Amino acid sequence: MSNHLFDAICSELRPESIFIETLSGETHTYEDMLKTSARLAGALIRLGVKPGDRIAAQVEKSPEALMLYLACVRAGAVYLPLNTAYTLAELAYFIGDAEPRLVVCTPESKTALLPVASVKGAVVETLDENGGGSLMTLAGSEKDHFDNVARGADDLAAILYTSGTTGRSKGAMLTHDNLLSNAATLRDYWRFTGDDKLIHALPIFHTHGLFVASNVILLAGASMVFLPKFDADQILSLMPRATVMMGVPTFYVRLVQSKDLTPERTSNMRLFISGSAPLLAETHRQFEAMTGHRILERYGMTETNMNTSNPYDGERVAGTVGFPLPGVSLRVTEPGSDRPVADGETGMIEVKGPNVFKGYWQMPEKTAAEFRADGYFITGDLGMIDENGYVHIVGRDKDLVISGGYNIYPKEVESEIDQLPGVFESAVIGVPHPDFGEGLTAVIVRDGSSALEEKDVLNALQDRIARYKQPKRVLFVSELPRNTMGKVQKNVLRKTYAGLYQA
Ligand code: MCA
Ligand code: AMP
């Protein structure tokens, strides 16, 4: 039966080719991928998964974890990957909102997750980082052939949660064609072939590591080396036998600190791609000076997949995100209206195309509010198109901090801080950070005579929000700067603390 995304993956497939290698030297061919994902899909059906059911997974990075995503696609289910850093409190929200049929977690977190999952009637199975766990045991007794469940272009393949400016996370619904059309475009734009080997050091629970990296590799019939996390030395040692790397800017900031980053070391590499956050023009230049390679920067969002990219052959311009991808329409409008700005002026970036998501899970009003009547999605990013057609991202209209490629909505952190005894009010901002791009910083006004200190706030946040959302510094002030309307002036705070993390 026809399964829009998986059929396309199978069309380029050479069974004997290597799909994934791990650092321990373990290899998984495309034939292994077909068999393991078939067995897992069989196990899902046996667990009662029906087309359209959500399957939430908070698991460590492993080849089997990626096979689980593919098994969901084949079984007609909707994959819901969750950051491994999320706390139990955060998971409770996602499970409550998405109501998955099945939650897959690590063996260590099962006991804590069971009560949270059972409230919504979800089954809990485990998957460990070595490809073991109860789900793999179930899969072991399934056949290595599976009749894919029929799914069309517009059926959901995944839901990825993105935090909201009002604090409540929204589930972005991505269809089979959102994922397929974007990955096929990127494969062609970036010239991926079956001969490519990607260094994959990103997590596989967000768009970048899951869809941009893995789907492009699958559609090209290429291979990748899975690293559990970023490690500059491991990446440098892989470069002589790899061809491409995708990373967030922090990867490049860290790599240029190594004296082993040389033209010889990178001579087998054909492409370095950066995205998820702005790459400093200085890092771009430094990388080129050390290797001769010009990093190719691209721009995307969870809701839209990839929107723009610098060219493969043409000039890759530092500080820009290149051109709209084929099939993607991009315009820059006057804030609050759908009127395009004059050439070269700054405004709101809006996009439209097969890459753009179907809407937020069970939030029709929020979905409607973020689309124009003519179908353009309002990104919340401020940009400008220069005289050569290159898109520049010049800021954000949304109150968002991007730290090491992870998005953090200050409102969510402020809400947690404001509940702490001794806090009168707080403002959370991002200021330049040499490693993470932006360093999350909390500015707090104490309540009355409270003696609250930085360490008290950090301790209190430990179990409430994921580690990467916890402020790198907590500062205390007697009052927050406000404008005449009473709104906190975060721009003033950002200016005041601009040098906080600079050496
Ligand atoms: C780790 N920590 C962080 C971050 N990562 N804090 C703030 N921001 C972060 N991103 C914490 C750790 O828990 C640790 O705390 C301390 O900071 C230092 O950790 P370190 O070992 O240096 O970190 P790491 O494990 O090396 O991770 C840094 C990283 C990683 C490699 C930049 O965060 C990463 O892989 N980021 C990629 C995120 C990503 O894939 N984004 C794509 C989203 P402690 O010492 O106290 O324990 S998709 C997207 O944005 C769109 C669609 C797009 O366009 O791609
Ligand atoms: P997320 O929705 O978590 O995937 O994050 C998407 C956001 O990351 C976008 O709306 C941008 O603000 C930002 N982003 C992604 N790629 C880039 C880039 N190359 N330059 C600047 N910002 C980027």
Side-chain angles (χ1 to χ4, degrees), residues 249-250 274-280 297 321 393 396 402 437-438:
T250 301
S274 176
S276 305
L279 179 76
L280 290 178
E297 187 171 5
V321 292
I393 308 226
R396 295 176 208 131
I402 307 183
E438 289 181 271

Side-chain angles (χ1 to χ4, degrees), residues 12 242 277:
E12 289 292 329

Side-chain angles (χ1 to χ4, degrees), residues 90 93 173 238 280 361 365 442:
E90 290 168 313
Y93 170 77
M173 298 189 288
L238 282 171
L280 290 178
W361 173 253
E365 300 82 18

Side-chain angles (χ1 to χ4, degrees), residues 161-162 206-207 249 274-279 297-303 320-321 379-381 393 395-396 398 400 402 405-407 409:
Y161 275 85
T162 75
H206 285 311
T207 296
S274 176
S276 305
L279 179 76
E297 187 171 5
R298 55 69 179 171
Y299 155 64
M301 276 184 86
T302 301
E303 286 92 332
T320 83
V321 292
T379 63
D381 290 312
I393 308 226
R396 295 176 208 131
K398 47 196 175 191
L400 162 73
I402 307 183
Y406 285 137
N407 284 17
Y409 278 88

Side-chain angles (χ1 to χ4, degrees), residues 271-389:
L271 185 59
F272 290 92
I273 303 172
S274 176
S276 305
L279 179 76
L280 290 178
E282 186 195 324
T283 310
H284 191 282
R285 280 191 280 272
Q286 226 177 330
F287 196 87
E288 186 181 10
M290 291 177 79
T291 65
H293 288 274
R294 290 179 76 81
I295 299 170
L296 183 154
E297 187 171 5
R298 55 69 179 171
Y299 155 64
M301 276 184 86
T302 301
E303 286 92 332
T304 64
N305 297 288
M306 299 305 102
N307 296 314
T308 72
S309 171
N310 268 280
Y312 189 80
D313 283 330
E315 180 75 0
R316 297 175 195 165
V317 180
T320 83
V321 292
F323 307 114
L325 286 164
V328 177
S329 306
L330 182 146
R331 69 186 182 197
V332 178
T333 58
E334 290 175 12
S337 87
D338 57 3
R339 276 190 307 275
V341 296
D343 285 350
E345 302 254 305
T346 296
M348 174 65 75
I349 298 181
E350 301 187 358
V351 293
K352 187 176 168 178
N355 53 316
V356 178
F357 76 137
K358 200 172 179 173
Y360 295 112
W361 173 253
Q362 287 177 334
M363 289 185 176
E365 300 82 18
K366 281 219 157 66
T367 303
E370 297 197 20
F371 280 91
R372 298 274 177 220
D374 59 2
Y376 276 81
F377 174 68
I378 306 163
T379 63
D381 290 312
L382 299 174
M384 178 276 265
I385 303 178
D386 69 20
E387 65 279 11
N388 298 316

